[in-house]
Amino acid sequence: MHSKPIKILLIEDSLEDFVIIREMLRDTNNPFQLEHADKLKVGFEKLFNESFNLILLDLNLPDSYGFDTFIRTYDQVPELPIVILSGFNDEDVAIKAVREGAQDYLIKGEIDGKLLARSIYYAIERKEAEKELMKTHNDLRKLISWHEVELKEKEEEIASLIKEHENAEVKLINAISNIKIEKLKFDFLIDQLPVGILVVDAVSGEPISKNKKFEELSSEFVEIPEILEVCPYKGFYPDGSPYKSEDWPLMRSIVMGEEIEDEKIIVLKNDGTKSVISNSSIPIKDDDGQIIIGMSIFSDIIED
């Protein structure tokens, strides 16, 4: 037995049928509270002013007839379960109403209190399940819509990043092209100089540029293969002691950041004679102060 009161609105123009239904519900010993309206308009007024759990609806009323009665009622209170009370002559209409949203239909003269009570409870439960299903459906639609918006934003973000990458790539290609052009200009200019120029990468020690004069000097002096990049010649101090790899001006520039100007170094030539060269060297730094390039200038002074 259910203890929670269930408030029912019976919209029925037959007073006799109202009495029969009222007595049926009383006999079930369930907590039904039945109210009556003999016209659809009266029923709507009650629905507007009071709260109900369920509607028992006769389709044939003085101010409404057939399927239209259900449609008008459903449009008024779509949240309430509606159980159709049908006569034999409008059973097809009642079935159609069920398809359109009514919870059940009962044929007058073929029901008793037990069947009516069960139909009421089932109608309420089905309507609650329908509401929950609709809420879940709406929640899913909102979730899908939210994800669609998020996906669109991600797509736009990715498209923007791709565009930025493409722009950056174009700029990089242009920059590389400009660097190559500038290097060609630089190489051309230093080839015109009467002194040897050697430019190396500060990290690897690999040569970046060498001019013609440097190549000429390199061909005359004895080279030391293992330290060829930054200190290409076999050199000596004026007292005859040999230069170590870390002593060469270019090495001191890229490692210690020294700026060396016009340091005299004795070098051994391929023919066994000696020559004195002047070697200047400077470090070149980036915007953060890191040494990235070393440049050395060589000039042949005299032969010994």
Side-chain angles (χ1 to χ4, degrees), residues 106-120:
L106 301 172
I107 299 175
K108 297 176 182 179
E110 294 185 5
I111 58 173
D112 56 19
K114 184 176 181 181
L115 177 61
L116 181 57
R118 184 165 63 246
S119 177
I120 289 170

Side-chain angles (χ1 to χ4, degrees), residues 35-286:
E35 292 200 21
H36 178 228
D38 60 356
K39 294 179 182 179
L40 192 59
K41 179 181 178 182
V42 176
F44 286 172
E45 290 173 354
K46 286 183 174 289
L47 290 170
F48 181 77
N49 293 306
E50 302 178 49
S51 296
F52 292 91
N53 301 109
L54 177 133
I55 298 172
L56 292 174
L57 180 65
D58 181 14
L59 296 179
N60 299 323
L61 300 168
D63 54 351
S64 186
Y65 185 83
F67 182 68
D68 186 59
T69 303
F70 166 74
I71 291 299
R72 291 173 62 189
T73 306
Y74 185 82
D75 288 345
Q76 191 76 14
V77 282
E79 74 281 1
L80 283 182
I82 300 173
V83 174
I84 302 296
L85 296 175
S86 174
F88 286 107
N89 60 340
D90 54 13
E91 183 176 353
D92 291 340
V93 175
I95 293 173
K96 183 179 179 182
V98 170
R99 292 198 187 103
E100 295 298 324
Q103 295 304 314
D104 200 357
Y105 78 92
L106 301 172
I107 299 175
K108 297 176 182 179
E110 294 185 5
I111 58 173
D112 56 19
K114 184 176 181 181
L115 177 61
L116 181 57
R118 184 165 63 246
S119 177
I120 289 170
Y121 284 118
Y122 285 172
I124 292 172
E125 289 175 3
R126 282 195 298 271
K127 192 64 178 181
E128 289 302 316
E130 181 183 299
K131 290 179 183 177
E132 189 63 30
L133 183 61
M134 183 59 67
K135 180 179 180 300
T136 301
H137 176 73
N138 291 336
D139 288 345
L140 284 174
R141 286 184 63 87
K142 289 179 182 178
L143 184 62
I144 291 171
S145 177
W146 180 81
H147 279 298
E148 286 176 346
V149 171
E150 185 181 37
L151 181 60
K152 182 175 177 60
E153 290 175 352
K154 289 296 182 183
E155 288 175 348
E156 291 174 351
E157 182 179 343
I158 291 171
S160 177
L161 289 174
I162 291 173
K163 187 66 177 178
E164 289 178 9
H165 175 75
E166 290 173 347
N167 292 337
E169 188 175 2
V170 170
K171 290 180 180 178
L172 180 60
I173 292 171
N174 291 336
I176 292 173
S177 177
N178 290 335
I179 289 172
K180 289 180 178 178
I181 293 172
E182 293 302 319
K183 186 176 185 304
L184 288 173
K185 292 180 180 178
F186 177 74
D187 289 344
F188 175 79
L189 289 174
I190 65 174
D191 277 343
Q192 312 308 311
L193 297 175
V195 293
I197 302 293
L198 172 63
V199 181
V200 300
D201 179 78
V203 176
S204 66
E206 292 292 327
I208 297 174
S209 289
K210 301 176 184 178
N211 72 345
K212 290 180 180 179
K213 182 63 177 178
F214 178 81
E215 297 289 356
E216 291 174 5
L217 292 173
S218 296
S219 66
E220 294 181 7
F221 300 137
V222 175
E223 297 177 343
I224 303 177
E226 62 269 19
I227 56 174
L228 187 59
E229 287 83 1
V230 294
C231 39
Y233 314 128
K234 190 170 184 179
F236 302 89
Y237 288 101
D239 64 2
S241 59
Y243 264 74
K244 299 177 183 178
S245 61
E246 63 268 22
D247 295 336
W248 276 89
L250 185 54
M251 180 66 81
R252 285 148 54 194
S253 289
I254 63 177
V255 174
M256 305 301 295
E258 289 185 45
E259 295 186 6
I260 297 97
E261 183 177 355
D262 197 24
E263 184 168 319
K264 302 299 187 293
I265 303 172
I266 300 171
V267 293
L268 183 66
K269 299 180 69 172
N270 292 320
D271 61 5
T273 62
K274 293 181 179 180
S275 179
V276 178
I277 62 171
S278 174
N279 189 189
S280 300
S281 184
I282 59 170
I284 299 174
K285 301 178 181 180
D286 61 15

